[in-house]
Amino acid sequence: MKFSENWLRTWANPELSSEALGHLLTMAGLEVEAMDPVAPAFNNVVVAEVLEVVKHPNADRLNVCQVNVGEAQPLTIVCGAANVAAGVKVPCARIGAVLPGDFVIKQAKVRNVESSGMLCSEKELGLATESNGLWLLPSDAPVGKTLREYLELDDKLFTLKLTPNRSDCSGMVGIAREVAALTGSALKPLEIQTQPVTLAEQLPVNVADPQACPLYCGRLVRGVNAAAATPAWMLRRLERGGLRGISAVVDITNYVMLEMGQPLHAFDVAKLTGGIAVRKARKDESLALLNGQAVALDEEVLVIADDARVLALAGIMGGQGSGVETVTRDVFLESAFFHPDAIAGRARRFGLATDSSFRFERGVDFAATRQALERATQLLLEICGGRAGSISEVCGQLPVRAAITLRRQRVARVLGIALDNSQIAALLKRLQFDFAANGDDFRVIPPSFRFDLSIEADLIEELARLHGYDNIPALAPQAALTMLPHSESQRPLARIQQTLVARDYQEIVSYAFVEEQVERELCGNTDAVALQNPIASNLAVMRSSLLGGLMGALRFNLNRKQARVRLFETGACFAKADNAYVQTQRLSGLAYGAVRPEQWGAAASPVDFYDVKADVEALFAPQELRFVAAPHSALHPGRSAQIFCGGQMVGCLGELHPKWQQQYDMVQAAVWFEVELDALTQAKVPRMGEIARFLPVRRDLAVLVDEAVAAQTLLDAMQQASVPCVAEVALFDVYRGKGVEQGKKSLAFRVLLQDTQKTLTDSEIEPSIALLVGVMQKHGAQLRM
């Protein structure tokens, strides 16, 4: 929303500088995105009249001009512009003037003729990029008046970044009303005169969809001069509001829109058939818009039509077939209130973004609909002449502003400041709110132009805005601090994250929304939780694993020549279960590249399954984990495993499948793990145990087993046997080769035996060893001699 500061100050003129006014509006919620001068800096340029033009005696392309600048004697100025002529009024830079680019005008002699100034073009004054000759000013321009004063070039352009809830400030009336409320300055009312009816004609109006168009006003005006010139003051305000001049009738409707925030439209009556209808479009109807675009319509689009065809997209843009031209003599002015739901999204559907749709989508003041039509009629008759008929009005059920209760105690609690009843009442009056006080409570009825006020918190925000956020003291919170209990059976997430950081991982944060194809192919999830309204087509489902985000981050790093990448993420994952949605917290990590950063102390080697397995074990330490080979849709079928802790499956681990390695253009396989965060945060509380004072005894057992027998099977069997004095059993060697027959393997176990009360003897050790051997023999193991 652009507007001229000078125009604003004709409505409300607080004693504030431009910068202070901009800061005030921003702090009140109307962000001033930009504040630019309408013209570059220059001085000592006045309106001048060329009295006489004669050829330069020493140059064919130069003229010697006598110029009246409002002084007793005219100035002699040499000019080479082709359009200089006696009687024209042009800008004249006098001696000592400084033009854009620090160009100083001096007394000069041009081909032996003294020149006392310079006649200027728009380009020379920095007001245009190109110009053909001198800038010809209107014939009524006052000679001798400075150009900056005459054209209000000291004005500033404010650009507001309006939020959707403040549609009431989409016109100068609303902005001035806001400034007056914020500063307490006087607000000059807009004088709208009811125009006399001099034409006993009306166009019939039929509103077929009163919910989409609760109020429609129209007026027939005959005998207008559409070729009349738009006044300079109106063109200036339009241009500074971001609109170009088109024709007098169109400029008037645009001007009223900028002035009151109410879009209007004008139809050429000669191009209409019958009356006006507000209805939904019919299937297969189409419309050629004013911008030349042809659009296909359907039953979801609200249109303005006559008895024969569609004339305009309601609240968006008019059609070419009914537009006003300079030869138009009779016009029908339209001013309507379209419900925001009937307009929202329709313009974007056709690739349009118009000033009308911007306002109607957010809501316009339905109480000003008829006033805007009167204002447009007033300007039309003043500028173009004509005879106006009475207003055709169709009114349905307009929005109702429900009363809101505002409590003084609630205001004090929310804002942290004490406003008494008189202060609250004064602020509500400045906002032009109707209210009734009942003790410390106020019953407030929002005005028709405020669509955004519906609850008590909205009114409290209004009080805060007017009181000034800068005037609310910043008080430090006061509260009693107590130590919260922390159970040793729970490990904090920060400690887990720090463990991974210490092992050279870096944390990422990715979207919980992923592409459906990623879920289906990478995660093996064919029934993902779909979003009803995804923010993008590639973010259509909720993730069931953190793998997708990690792979995206890995690819991002590989594309930027990062050869070694170690990433982790903690976050929620989502799945369906028993006609319900399940959300779990997980931790996932991904390693790619070399095991260690490049160095001279160790040879470079790629990260593998066992490197990341060690990282996972470090996370769960001192708890013991079991890794059971199991397939996964994203992992290499022979290099993946499920992770078990305390008999429960808590995650998975493995190398990425070769097809994904190829798809993601990786020169080597990445290793990925994912575990349940609940299992990871569980910790065993340490318990004191007796320290043995006697040395342990070690025995090594080597057995031959079939290839199909897992070493873990034997370890589990020996541990479950609870053999006396056995403190530890661990696998330390696996051998295949010479001396071991085909289909067999040799497993070597380290057995530590210890007693806390005495040194063990051979007679105590051998029975325990025999028991362990017997346990292994039950699983087909043969003691290797």
Side-chain angles (χ1 to χ4, degrees):
M1 171 67 188
K2 279 186 176 182
F3 65 90
S4 156
E5 181 185 2
N6 284 359
W7 191 10
L8 171 64
R9 289 187 182 274
T10 63
W11 296 74
N13 190 14
E15 295 182 356
L16 295 174
S17 66
S18 301
E19 291 72 19
L21 180 60
H23 177 74
L24 178 70
L25 289 172
T26 298
M27 292 305 296
L30 302 180
E31 181 184 352
V32 178
E33 195 173 25
M35 186 169 57
D36 305 306
V38 300
F42 61 82
N43 59 30
N44 207 11
V45 178
V46 300
V47 176
E49 182 181 8
V50 179
L51 302 177
E52 181 184 56
V53 177
V54 296
K55 284 292 182 181
H56 194 291
N58 302 319
D60 293 337
R61 297 185 178 181
L62 297 179
N63 297 298
V64 178
C65 306
Q66 298 299 314
V67 181
N68 177 15
V69 294
E71 296 181 349
Q73 297 296 324
L75 302 179
T76 300
I77 298 176
V78 177
C79 177
N83 63 338
V84 66
V88 299
K89 292 185 177 179
V90 294
C92 177
R94 307 200 50 186
I95 300 299
V98 180
L99 302 186
D102 292 330
F103 182 65
V104 180
I105 303 300
K106 301 177 181 178
Q107 182 79 28
K109 183 176 289 188
V110 181
R111 296 288 184 94
N112 295 324
V113 176
E114 290 288 341
S115 182
S116 302
M118 185 176 80
L119 304 184
C120 302
S121 67
E122 289 179 277
K123 181 180 180 181
E124 289 163 335
L125 296 176
L127 299 173
T129 55
E130 296 294 335
S131 57
N132 297 318
L134 299 177
W135 185 5
L136 302 182
L137 301 175
S139 60
D140 60 350
V143 174
K145 193 170 189 177
T146 65
L147 190 70
R148 300 195 74 91
E149 182 182 357
Y150 170 58
L151 296 178
E152 299 182 4
L153 297 182
D154 291 321
D155 193 7
K156 284 188 171 59
L157 293 182
F158 281 64
T159 302
L160 294 185
K161 189 176 182 180
L162 284 181
T163 52
N165 64 310
R166 293 310 306 270
S167 61
D168 59 299
C169 291
S170 60
M172 289 303 304
V173 170
I175 298 172
R177 184 170 51 220
E178 185 76 4
V179 170
L182 292 171
T183 61
S185 58
L187 177 63
K188 180 182 178 181
L190 176 61
E191 296 179 359
I192 301 178
Q193 300 173 2
T194 302
Q195 298 305 301
V197 175
T198 57
L199 180 67
E201 285 186 71
Q202 282 185 316
L203 278 186
V205 175
N206 175 43
V207 178
D209 191 346
Q211 289 186 339
C213 180
L215 178 60
Y216 187 95
C217 297
R219 168 173 267 166
L220 182 64
V221 182
R222 291 194 181 275
V224 300
N225 177 17
T230 304
W233 59 267
M234 182 179 288
L235 281 175
R236 187 156 53 243
R237 289 176 176 178
L238 286 174
E239 290 169 359
R240 294 177 186 180
L243 300 177
R244 61 183 178 88
I246 299 174
S247 67
V249 177
V250 177
D251 292 346
I252 288 168
T253 60
N254 287 337
Y255 179 81
V256 175
M257 178 184 69
L258 292 182
E259 185 177 56
M260 302 184 65
Q262 168 69 51
L264 297 97
H265 189 66
F267 297 98
D268 187 338
V269 176
K271 300 176 183 179
L272 304 183
T273 302
I276 294 293
V278 184
R279 60 174 173 82
K280 291 294 179 64
R282 302 186 181 103
K283 189 176 182 181
D284 298 329
E285 283 187 320
S286 61
L287 176 64
L289 299 173
L290 288 172
N291 63 356
Q293 178 181 346
V295 294
L297 308 175
D298 58 31
E299 295 85 347
E300 295 297 319
V301 181
L302 189 68
V303 298
I304 309 299
D306 61 9
D307 294 347
R309 56 182 174 147
V310 175
L311 304 176
L313 291 179
I316 299 175
M317 185 180 289
Q320 283 184 340
S322 59
V324 174
E325 299 174 325
T326 55
V327 295
T328 299
R329 299 294 298 165
D330 304 321
V331 298
F332 180 76
L333 294 177
E334 169 194 275
S335 178
F337 170 67
F338 299 112
H339 197 283
D341 292 343
I343 307 299
R346 307 306 192 276
R348 288 188 295 275
R349 172 180 168 183
F350 298 116
L352 301 172
T354 66
D355 292 292
S356 293
S357 64
F358 175 85
R359 288 163 172 80
F360 280 123
E361 285 177 346
R362 290 158 175 78
V364 299
D365 182 9
F366 51 84
T369 302
R370 189 182 180 101
Q371 289 181 322
L373 184 58
E374 290 283 8
R375 175 62 169 162
T377 306
Q378 175 185 341
L379 293 172
L380 184 64
L381 297 181
E382 290 176 0
I383 297 170
C384 301
R387 296 172 295 122
S390 59
I391 294 178
S392 302
E393 180 178 305
V394 178
C395 185
Q397 183 63 45
L398 294 171
V400 177
R401 294 288 181 260
I404 306 171
T405 299
L406 178 66
R407 298 164 292 173
R408 185 171 67 84
Q409 291 182 346
R410 183 63 178 170
V411 172
R413 182 175 180 182
V414 173
L415 300 184
I417 56 175
L419 297 177
D420 58 36
N421 291 344
S422 61
Q423 288 176 301
I424 294 175
L427 294 175
L428 293 176
K429 286 179 182 178
R430 283 162 55 182
L431 288 165
Q432 299 184 17
F433 291 179
D434 290 333
F435 66 92
N438 182 15
D440 288 343
D441 295 344
F442 295 82
R443 187 176 182 271
V444 183
I445 299 178
S448 60
F449 52 82
R450 292 301 298 269
F451 281 76
D452 58 319
L453 305 178
S454 58
I455 59 176
E456 185 179 24
D458 297 331
L459 297 179
I460 296 175
E461 180 185 2
E462 293 298 299
L463 297 180
R465 290 193 315 109
L466 261 66
H467 181 74
Y469 293 115
D470 291 339
N471 297 324
I472 299 178
L475 301 177
Q478 298 180 355
L481 299 179
T482 57
M483 290 288 291
L484 299 177
H486 175 68
S487 173
E488 288 187 81
S489 63
Q490 290 287 326
R491 288 195 295 174
L493 177 60
R495 186 182 302 169
I496 297 170
Q497 293 170 323
Q498 191 59 45
T499 301
L500 282 173
V501 170
R503 300 183 78 86
D504 218 11
Y505 285 81
Q506 292 182 317
E507 186 175 14
I508 70 163
V509 178
S510 65
Y511 280 119
F513 318 128
V514 296
E515 190 174 0
E516 186 177 5
Q517 183 180 358
V518 171
E519 273 295 296
R520 184 175 61 254
E521 298 180 357
L522 198 61
C523 303
N525 182 11
T526 59
D527 189 21
V529 178
L531 297 172
Q532 290 184 350
N533 187 24
I535 60 176
S537 59
N538 62 335
L539 300 173
V541 299
M542 303 295 288
R543 65 188 178 191
S544 63
S545 168
L546 302 176
L547 177 58
L550 290 170
M551 290 299 295
L554 173 61
R555 180 164 56 182
F556 183 88
N557 281 272
L558 294 180
N559 289 340
R560 284 152 182 80
K561 307 302 181 184
Q562 298 297 314
R564 183 173 182 269
V565 182
R566 298 168 78 88
L567 306 170
F568 79 94
E569 180 177 13
T570 58
C573 295
F574 308 87
K576 295 179 182 178
D578 299 329
N579 297 322
Y581 297 114
V582 178
Q583 176 177 329
T584 56
Q585 295 291 326
R586 296 182 185 176
L587 181 144
S588 187
L590 188 70
Y592 175 88
V595 178
R596 303 175 188 84
E598 187 176 1
Q599 56 169 302
W600 67 91
S605 60
V607 66
D608 61 18
F609 178 94
Y610 294 100
D611 295 318
V612 178
K613 176 175 177 287
D615 294 333
V616 175
E617 289 176 326
L619 283 176
F620 280 88
Q623 299 182 80
E624 293 184 1
L625 300 179
R626 287 186 58 191
F627 297 85
V628 179
H632 188 282
S633 59
L635 302 179
H636 192 295
R639 300 174 185 175
S640 61
Q642 293 177 338
I643 305 171
F644 287 82
C645 179
Q648 298 291 326
M649 202 272 282
V650 297
C652 56
L653 164 70
E655 287 187 6
L656 202 65
H657 196 286
K659 69 177 180 180
W660 301 119
Q661 178 182 341
Q662 181 180 5
Q663 180 170 327
Y664 283 87
D665 297 327
M666 294 184 289
V667 298
Q668 69 182 69
V671 184
W672 166 69
F673 73 88
E674 185 164 289
V675 295
E676 300 288 342
L677 201 56
D678 286 344
L680 194 54
T681 55
Q682 299 294 324
K684 289 186 177 180
V685 178
R687 295 181 182 275
M688 185 187 70
E690 186 178 359
I691 300 176
R693 292 174 293 171
F694 301 94
L695 295 177
V697 177
R698 171 171 173 161
R699 292 287 189 271
D700 293 342
L701 297 176
V703 295
L704 292 173
V705 295
D706 292 336
E707 280 284 2
V709 178
Q712 189 66 47
T713 302
L714 300 183
L715 285 170
D716 291 343
M718 286 186 285
Q719 290 171 354
Q720 292 172 5
S722 300
V723 177
C725 300
V726 175
E728 180 184 337
V729 179
L731 177 72
F732 71 88
D733 185 49
V734 179
Y735 175 73
R736 300 176 182 86
K738 187 177 180 179
V740 177
E741 63 180 282
Q742 190 72 21
K744 299 282 188 177
K745 60 184 175 182
S746 173
L747 303 177
F749 297 95
R750 178 183 70 250
V751 181
L752 295 181
L753 300 97
Q754 191 175 32
D755 193 312
T756 58
Q757 303 299 323
K758 61 182 178 178
T759 301
L760 295 175
T761 62
D762 287 345
S763 60
E764 294 170 320
I765 294 171
E766 292 306 325
S768 296
I769 297 298
L771 286 174
L772 293 177
V773 172
V775 168
M776 289 190 288
Q777 288 174 342
K778 291 179 181 179
H779 291 82
Q782 297 177 359
L783 192 63
R784 187 179 178 191
M785 304 304 293

